[in-house]
């Protein structure tokens, strides 16, 4: 076999292997776009010097095929005090095991706290569970309020 024929054979085999790999490669993660409801799994703890445990919370919105979230509705109940979500919509994303909620804001007892939450999630499409542990949010308004609060919550996201 001539040198040219050997090189052509090797190049052809390499091209065939590359094509086979490209055809069998796993496609990029894509979420099923649409509406979602995220329900509190367990309790939400809000600690601003005094800890409050909330027993109910629901987030609603949309998820895009790239995992981008738009949270247009939020409720929190069973905290012992009135907690009111503020500044909706919030944005966020579910991406490579990282869950984010940006623009998060809540008011309780005349103190408003806000910021971004970052946690982790399991799963590759809805339903997934996202956990936000010990996330610090800063005071954005209120007199005689602690400078920050810590949020811990776990949400089950499902298509709705």
């Amino acid at each position: 076999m001539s040198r040219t024929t050997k090189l052509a054979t090797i190049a052809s085999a390499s091209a065939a292997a590359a094509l086979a790999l490209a055809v069998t490669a796993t496609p990029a993660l894509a979420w099923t776009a649409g509406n979602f409801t995220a329900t509190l799994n367990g309790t939400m703890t809000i600690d601003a010097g005094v800890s409050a445990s909330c027993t109910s919370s629901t987030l609603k919105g949309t998820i895009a095929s790239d995992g981008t979230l738009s949270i247009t509705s939020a409720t929190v109940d069973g905290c012992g005090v009135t907690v009111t979500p503020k500044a909706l919509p919030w944005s966020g994303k579910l991406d490579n095991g990282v869950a984010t909620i940006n623009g998060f804001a809540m008011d309780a007892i005349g103190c408003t706290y806000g910021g971004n939450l970052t946690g982790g999630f399991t799963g590759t499409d809805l339903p997934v569970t996202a956990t936000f542990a010990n996330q610090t949010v800063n005071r954005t308004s209120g007199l005689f309020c602690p400078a920050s609060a810590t949020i811990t919550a776990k949400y089950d996201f499902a298509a709705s």
Side-chain angles (χ1 to χ4, degrees):
M1 185 180 285
S2 74
R3 182 175 181 194
T4 306
T5 305
K6 286 181 186 178
L7 289 174
T9 302
I10 291 170
S12 177
S14 295
L19 179 60
L21 180 60
V23 170
T24 60
T26 303
L29 178 64
W31 296 89
T32 303
N35 295 327
F36 73 84
T37 299
T39 306
L40 185 65
N41 178 337
T43 59
M44 174 190 298
T45 302
I46 304 170
D47 190 344
V50 175
S51 184
S53 293
C54 306
T55 58
S56 175
S57 178
T58 303
L59 309 175
K60 291 185 179 188
T62 58
I63 185 169
S65 62
D66 68 350
T68 299
L69 302 172
S70 176
I71 300 167
T72 55
S73 169
T75 63
V76 180
D77 292 303
C79 305
V81 297
T82 301
V83 176
T84 306
K86 297 285 189 179
L88 290 160
W90 302 332
S91 62
K93 193 158 191 177
L94 299 174
D95 187 33
N96 290 322
V98 177
T100 57
I101 297 177
N102 303 314
F104 171 89
M106 288 198 184
D107 180 86
I109 315 173
C111 302
T112 302
Y113 293 92
N116 300 327
L117 306 179
T118 301
F121 71 90
T122 56
T124 57
D125 199 0
L126 298 180
V128 299
T129 298
T131 302
F132 303 93
N134 299 313
Q135 296 296 292
T136 300
V137 290
N138 294 316
R139 178 188 66 226
T140 58
S141 69
L143 297 174
F144 310 112
C145 302
S148 64
T150 304
I151 308 291
T152 297
K154 181 191 279 187
Y155 283 93
D156 294 330
F157 284 75
S160 60

